Amino acid sequence: MLAMMNERYQNNKALPFLGKFKLNYLLKPLKKEYPFLKNSDSSSLQVVNEFLTQSWKNFFQDKTGQIGKPRFHSRKYLKKSYTGKSIIKTAGKRYLKIPKLGYVKTSKTGVLQNTKIKRCTVLLEPTGKYYLSLQVEISEPEKYSLTGKRVGIDVGVADLAILSNGLKYPSFDSSYFEKKAKVWQRKYARRRHLAKLLVLQDRNKKVLCPRSLESFTNWQKAQKSKAKYQAKAANQRRDYLHKLTTHLVKQYDVIAIEDLKTKNLQKNHHLAKSIANASWRMFRQMLEYKCEWYGKKLIAVDPKNTSKICSKCGYNSGAKPLEIREWTCSKCQTKHDRDINAAVNILHKGSTKLNGQGLAMVTS
């Protein structure tokens, strides 16, 4: 489909691309020409056509020139998955029936009761494990009871979340998994390099049955081991963030945070790794949708001067180096913890913004 669309585009750039329904109409003759397509779930091919159509739409509608034409995946593309819209049925307490795959054992069928499955994605992770991701239609979750509390949150590196009431929640420590992943990364690079040398040696000597790169399993084992530790770190970090954000949404009705541009901050090579490990972006995304789900309010404020202004008298004492964690206001002589002071200023900005929107502010 993509090769055909590229040919149409090269012959006549003004010619409109085919929509997903016209592409789906072409699937039937293609299956006769290429019988192996019948081995796939038919709805998965329709989903691919839908994604392809949307990619061309984005390309033609883009006026900034940042979105390019759809292109073929590289052979080194690691994400091995497919998405389908077929009907998936639960079979008993432990099995799901998936088209073309048959019965798949799982322990999560209990959460699928009274839900409508819209799409499913079968994914093979680099660790060698298979996952089934389901998109389901469910009823709205129950709202959390109101507590009458508000809080400002300043995000940091050593401490992920510093609250305006003085509480601090540390960042997830992934140093153990990082060390293990680095060890296996070095083994993987060394073993793959050696395998390439042996393959090249067989070619130069014109061996009757030269070895292929895939015949060396040691580097593949090292790659899976590296991916295993990376996946453990990612899963535990996500679990930690889920528990923390759910706790915050339960405790506070209004949460004020900084409107940080994480992508720009990661351009600082001294802090990029620490910021990525803290997962500020994921932390904010979880707060956003959980506040929307459970009837709470999240306010993003401008981070300008939050670390410079005294939260008690409002005096701006200027910029301070990152190594200064405590300072005293030269005007009112109040001693501040840098992060807690910033969190209080964020709460003040959030209160002003919320009142400016004409919404009632809950009391502490």
Side-chain angles (χ1 to χ4, degrees):
M1 296 296 185
L2 178 55
M4 178 192 66
M5 300 280 273
N6 285 335
E7 186 177 352
R8 289 169 62 91
Y9 180 77
Q10 290 175 0
N11 293 337
N12 187 357
K13 293 187 178 182
L15 189 68
F17 60 90
L18 298 178
K20 61 180 180 180
F21 297 108
K22 292 183 179 180
L23 292 179
N24 291 341
Y25 185 77
L26 297 175
L27 286 176
K28 189 173 182 179
L30 277 177
K31 287 183 180 180
K32 293 181 179 180
E33 185 177 356
Y34 304 102
F36 69 88
L37 290 175
K38 296 180 182 179
N39 298 331
S40 299
D41 179 7
S42 59
S43 65
S44 65
L45 302 178
Q46 296 173 5
V47 171
V48 172
N49 286 339
E50 182 180 339
F51 291 161
L52 178 60
T53 304
Q54 187 61 45
S55 298
W56 280 101
K57 281 184 179 180
N58 295 340
F59 170 66
F60 283 115
Q61 294 175 359
D62 177 49
K63 297 181 180 179
T64 61
Q66 297 180 354
I67 300 178
K69 292 196 291 86
R71 57 186 181 182
F72 292 101
H73 283 310
S74 168
R75 292 184 180 181
K76 299 178 181 178
Y77 189 67
L78 290 179
K79 187 176 181 181
K80 300 178 181 179
S81 67
Y82 77 90
T83 302
K85 295 188 292 186
S86 299
I87 299 175
I88 299 179
K89 298 180 180 179
T90 56
K93 295 183 178 180
R94 297 286 182 179
Y95 289 91
L96 290 173
K97 188 178 181 181
I98 304 175
K100 296 292 184 179
L101 292 181
Y103 293 94
V104 177
K105 190 174 182 180
T106 176
S107 61
K108 302 297 182 181
T109 54
V111 299
L112 297 177
Q113 295 179 357
N114 302 322
T115 61
K116 183 178 180 181
I117 301 176
K118 309 289 285 186
R119 284 189 179 184
C120 68
T121 299
V122 179
L123 175 65
L124 173 60
E125 290 283 350
T127 57
K129 294 182 179 180
Y130 287 90
Y131 289 91
L132 179 64
S133 176
L134 300 176
Q135 184 185 47
V136 299
E137 184 179 310
I138 61 174
S139 57
E140 291 187 4
E142 295 182 4
K143 308 293 184 184
Y144 287 150
S145 57
L146 298 178
T147 62
K149 297 179 181 180
R150 61 180 184 268
V151 73
I153 301 178
D154 179 49
V155 292
V157 175
D159 295 311
L160 172 60
I162 301 94
L163 309 190
S164 55
N165 55 16
L167 293 177
K168 295 183 179 182
Y169 296 93
S171 298
F172 174 74
D173 183 14
S174 62
S175 58
Y176 172 77
F177 300 106
E178 287 179 359
K179 290 179 182 178
K180 292 288 186 180
K182 282 182 180 179
V183 171
W184 283 106
Q185 171 62 32
R186 288 194 292 268
K187 290 182 180 180
Y188 164 74
R190 186 167 59 249
R191 292 174 183 180
R192 184 174 174 82
H193 178 67
L194 179 60
K196 285 184 176 181
L197 290 178
L198 293 175
V199 169
L200 185 61
Q201 182 181 353
D202 287 353
R203 290 178 183 175
N204 293 337
K205 291 183 178 181
K206 297 182 180 180
V207 178
L208 185 61
C209 296
R211 290 171 288 185
S212 63
L213 191 61
E214 288 73 20
S215 63
F216 297 90
T217 58
N218 281 342
W219 67 272
Q220 297 174 4
K221 291 179 181 178
Q223 184 185 26
K224 284 188 177 181
S225 298
K226 179 192 69 171
K228 180 182 70 174
Y229 286 107
Q230 290 175 338
K232 280 187 176 181
N235 291 337
Q236 291 194 15
R237 182 185 294 108
R238 191 180 297 110
D239 178 69
Y240 175 74
L241 290 175
H242 269 301
K243 291 177 179 177
L244 175 57
T245 51
T246 302
H247 171 74
L248 292 173
V249 172
K250 281 183 177 180
Q251 292 293 320
Y252 305 100
D253 295 345
V254 177
I255 301 174
I257 60 173
E258 294 177 294
D259 188 15
L260 295 173
K261 307 298 181 184
T262 309
K263 188 175 181 180
N264 295 336
L265 290 171
Q266 287 188 324
K267 293 178 181 179
N268 184 339
H269 300 294
H270 298 287
L271 297 175
K273 185 177 179 181
S274 299
I275 292 173
N277 179 62
S279 300
W280 292 351
R281 183 179 179 84
M282 189 183 297
F283 177 71
R284 174 172 172 175
Q285 287 176 341
M286 288 182 179
L287 281 177
E288 284 178 349
Y289 74 75
K290 288 182 181 181
C291 284
E292 185 178 355
W293 279 0
Y294 302 119
K296 301 302 180 74
K297 186 72 176 177
L298 182 71
I299 306 172
V301 302
D302 185 3
K304 186 178 181 181
N305 295 331
T306 52
S307 298
K308 302 177 184 178
I309 297 175
C310 173
S311 58
K312 187 173 183 180
C313 67
Y315 177 71
N316 190 339
S317 57
K320 303 167 189 64
L322 289 176
E323 57 267 17
I324 297 179
R325 309 314 303 171
E326 294 182 354
W327 56 281
T328 302
C329 177
S330 57
K331 186 175 181 180
C332 65
Q333 303 302 316
T334 303
K335 188 175 182 180
H336 293 293
D337 179 288
R338 180 192 182 105
D339 298 324
I340 297 176
N341 177 71
V344 175
N345 286 327
I346 291 169
L347 176 60
H348 291 164
K349 284 190 174 186
S351 303
T352 304
K353 187 174 182 179
L354 192 62
N355 292 333
Q357 295 174 353
L359 300 174
M361 191 69 178
V362 294
T363 56
S364 300

